Amino acid sequence: MLTALSIRDVVLIEALDLEFGAGLGVLTGETGAGKSILLDSLGLALGARADSGLVRQGAPQAAVTASFELADRAAVAALLDDSGLNHDPSEPLTIRRLVKADGGSRAYVNDQPASAGLLRELGALLVEIHGQHDDRGLLNPRGHRALLDSFARADTAAVAAAHRALRDAEDALAAAHAEQESAARDREWLEHAVTELTKLAPEPGEEAVLAERRATMQRGEKIAGELQAIAELIDGSDGALTRLRQAARILERIAEDHPALAEALAALDRALNEGSATQEGIDSAADALAFDPAALEADEARLFELRGLARKHRVQPDDLAELTDTLAVRLERIEGGEGLITRLTADLAAAETAYVAAAEALSATRAAAAARLDAAVAAELAPLKLDAARFRTTVEPLPRDQWSAAGRDRVEFEVSTNPGAPFAPLIKIASGGELSRFILALKVALAEEGGARTLIFDEIDRGVGGAVASAIGERLARLAAGTQLLVVTHSPQVAARGGKHLLIAKSHDGFVTRTGVRQLDEAERREEIARMLSGAQITDEARAQAERLLEAA
């Protein structure tokens, strides 16, 4: 809901601060007083083209600030989040637009820089302006399907879910076909690669094991001679241990002859033990480093083959086992690809059947709702002096390539304004006055389903009077019961229905012409409606008639 509008230096408006509330507000004034300036100012805040001609003469810039209390906070919050702007849902939404006299403009949302495009998107969520040449809101066929669904209270979730499943099935089948075609081109290469890899049968970690074993055997080959020489020196027929044992046997015979000989024998025994331990260590190392030339050759050959295949396939040797499985699966898909495609084709057919069933149910709901909407609009046309006009909601199937999560229907509101005339889009065949009245009839019938919280009608009563004007006023008041509605009007019957009455007037101090707006009290309101009834010369009869209109409202 629009709560406040502040205007500075726009055309003839020097400074203007307005507050608005719920219900029906009317704006009246003599022709040329500047009602269009007010709407242009609001349009500027809602992203309309920034024209430097809007800047009041002599002022450096024009500024418009509009404040809103939000009805659909989630939609606005999502839009602001997508744009990277912050907003406290508990606070009003403030939009400010500046236009410089020398060209250029700036826009702000909650004092954060924003684009004019974002203002237009916010405007679509916040306000609908319907005038003589308006082509938005109800006149845009792209929104008719959503409006009909809201009127029908249709649940589109099942169709949306079925459409997602259909798209997934289409994507899976397309991917299978693409993979089949790509794999078929590589079949010969795949067969050779899988055969080669399967024959080698690589295992994860195998390269490290082979490399370590090869290095160990190579070290053993290098020092085998040295180990053998050491063994001969220590434990050979003429080695150190043999000589030490001989010396020990001699010492054993004479050790009792002197204590020092006994100590020498004990030391010799220790030396023999250490020597034996040394020989055992050398023997153990020799066993560990022992190698079979044939085994070394076999390990080297396999290691080189692993590394060669890894380079060939541009992977690490440890990844060869996984690559073998991957290529084998690709080859298997070629050989069994037709079966996979057959299954996915069946899945697609089932998904399409499910989508069609859900879409048909939604189409039936829309068709029934369309009949109710047509009847509701028809009931509104005669009182609005559109007796000869006919309205219909067209629900037609879309081609296969236009099916969507919203179903497979094209929905459009159409009218025929004269007997025998063909139906056509509303905007193409209705005159200015008829257009506004058709919009009002639609709005009343739709009961504001799916619409913005603030509605503005610009001279919806142009060219009509009497009973038609009264009917328009009654319907505007009815529509305003559930929303905020502002009406620029020349009709006293409509003005009398307003809960709040603003008068737009032009003043001149001899030098500068200004446009101002003020809220009327009850006495001023009666006088303004009397002026609208009688013209410049207000009569007592006009005042009495104004009083009757106000009492009837």
Side-chain angles (χ1 to χ4, degrees):
M1 180 176 70
L2 177 66
T3 57
L5 184 65
S6 174
I7 304 172
R8 297 291 183 273
D9 296 319
V10 176
V11 192
L12 299 178
I13 298 177
E14 184 174 359
L16 185 62
D17 295 294
L18 298 174
E19 294 183 355
F20 301 92
L24 177 61
V26 297
L27 294 89
T28 66
E30 295 182 355
T31 300
K35 295 184 290 295
S36 62
I37 301 175
L38 204 62
L39 296 183
D40 288 344
S41 299
L42 179 59
L44 191 63
L46 300 178
R49 179 177 174 272
D51 186 349
S52 60
L54 292 173
V55 181
R56 188 173 63 87
Q57 187 175 3
Q61 68 179 17
V64 180
T65 303
S67 297
F68 295 88
E69 291 289 346
L70 300 180
D72 188 353
R73 297 182 184 275
V76 171
L79 181 56
L80 294 180
D81 285 344
D82 289 344
S83 302
L85 300 183
N86 298 320
H87 176 61
D88 183 351
S90 64
E91 295 294 326
L93 179 73
T94 301
I95 300 173
R96 184 160 58 101
R97 188 85 178 276
L98 306 176
V99 181
K100 295 181 179 180
D102 56 0
S105 70
R106 287 177 293 167
Y108 300 88
V109 175
N110 292 339
D111 292 326
Q112 301 167 91
S115 66
L118 175 61
L119 265 56
R120 284 191 290 274
E121 291 185 74
L122 285 171
L125 295 174
L126 299 169
V127 178
E128 285 184 25
I129 301 177
H130 298 291
Q132 294 288 318
H133 306 291
D134 185 54
D135 60 355
R136 296 161 292 176
L138 293 178
L139 302 185
N140 188 343
R142 284 181 294 183
H144 291 176
R145 184 169 60 191
L147 285 169
L148 180 61
D149 286 346
S150 295
F151 178 78
R153 287 175 169 74
D155 183 2
T156 60
V159 174
H163 185 260
R164 284 194 300 273
L166 177 60
R167 292 295 301 273
D168 290 344
E170 290 173 339
D171 292 345
L173 181 58
H177 275 299
E179 186 174 356
Q180 180 79 352
E181 292 171 5
S182 174
R185 290 193 297 269
D186 299 334
R187 179 168 189 155
E188 184 177 347
W189 177 84
L190 280 170
E191 288 176 339
H192 171 75
V194 170
T195 300
E196 186 177 42
L197 287 165
T198 303
K199 182 179 178 181
L200 182 63
E203 296 180 1
E206 184 179 9
E207 185 216 15
V209 173
L210 287 172
E212 178 60 29
R213 197 160 67 197
R214 171 174 173 262
T216 300
M217 286 192 289
Q218 285 176 332
R219 289 195 299 273
E221 182 181 28
K222 182 178 179 180
I223 65 174
E226 284 83 351
L227 292 176
Q228 182 61 36
I230 294 171
E232 287 295 327
L233 289 172
I234 294 176
D235 201 24
S237 58
D238 197 28
L241 286 177
T242 300
R243 290 178 180 273
L244 287 173
R245 290 186 188 103
Q246 290 173 352
R249 284 193 294 272
I250 296 173
L251 272 174
E252 284 177 353
R253 292 195 299 269
I254 64 174
E256 295 178 356
D257 294 336
H258 193 278
L261 293 175
E263 291 178 3
L265 178 60
L268 187 57
D269 286 340
R270 289 194 298 274
L272 282 169
N273 289 334
E274 291 294 332
S276 296
T278 300
Q279 183 59 44
E280 288 174 1
I282 291 171
D283 290 343
S284 177
D287 290 340
L289 294 170
F291 74 97
D292 178 357
L296 176 58
E297 183 179 354
D299 281 355
E300 284 184 333
R302 183 165 180 81
L303 183 60
F304 295 155
E305 193 170 3
L306 279 171
R307 289 174 174 173
L309 273 180
R311 286 193 299 271
K312 179 179 179 179
H313 292 286
R314 298 181 180 179
V315 297
Q316 294 298 317
D318 283 350
D319 296 331
L320 285 173
E322 183 179 354
L323 178 64
T324 303
D325 294 338
T326 300
L327 296 182
V329 169
R330 287 181 59 187
L331 185 60
E332 183 181 353
R333 283 180 178 174
I334 295 175
E335 297 167 347
E338 289 303 322
L340 175 64
I341 288 176
T342 298
R343 179 176 63 80
L344 291 176
T345 301
D347 290 347
L348 175 58
E352 183 167 328
T353 298
Y355 173 81
V356 168
E360 284 180 346
L362 180 57
S363 296
T365 298
R366 285 170 173 160
R372 296 197 306 273
L373 179 59
D374 293 352
V377 173
E380 299 293 330
L381 295 181
L384 296 175
K385 202 177 180 181
L386 294 169
D387 315 60
R390 293 175 296 154
F391 172 88
R392 74 178 182 188
T393 304
T394 300
V395 182
E396 295 180 341
L398 289 167
R400 173 70 171 76
D401 61 351
Q402 294 182 32
W403 292 1
S404 71
R408 54 177 195 166
D409 302 314
R410 182 187 71 84
V411 176
E412 186 168 0
F413 302 147
E414 296 180 331
V415 297
S416 167
T417 55
N418 295 298
F423 281 92
L426 177 60
I427 195 170
K428 291 185 178 180
I429 64 172
S431 65
E434 289 174 330
L435 193 59
S436 296
R437 281 178 279 150
F438 266 117
I439 290 171
L440 178 58
L442 264 171
K443 275 294 178 185
V444 172
L446 288 168
E448 254 305 287
E449 294 290 346
R453 183 63 186 272
T454 298
L455 290 172
I456 297 176
F457 283 94
D458 183 13
E459 299 186 4
I460 190 174
D461 48 15
R462 180 186 291 270
V464 299
V468 177
S470 295
I472 291 174
E474 186 276 328
R475 279 152 181 78
L476 288 171
R478 193 197 319 166
L479 186 57
T483 188
Q484 180 188 48
L485 202 156
L486 303 176
V487 181
V488 176
T489 181
H490 288 287
S491 167
Q493 292 90 341
V494 172
R497 292 279 182 172
K500 184 174 186 177
H501 193 147
L502 299 176
L503 175 65
I504 304 172
K506 189 183 296 184
S507 63
H508 185 70
D509 61 4
F511 299 97
V512 179
T513 300
R514 296 180 177 87
T515 289
V517 181
R518 62 187 180 89
Q519 183 173 346
L520 303 182
D521 60 24
E522 286 302 314
E524 292 171 328
R525 188 178 177 197
R526 183 175 59 254
E527 195 72 4
E528 168 64 7
I529 293 174
R531 180 199 64 78
M532 296 171 72
L533 286 165
S534 64
Q537 186 68 35
I538 303 176
T539 64
D540 290 339
E541 183 181 353
R543 291 187 176 94
Q545 179 62 19
E547 187 67 37
R548 287 192 292 271
L549 286 176
L550 288 168
E551 290 175 355

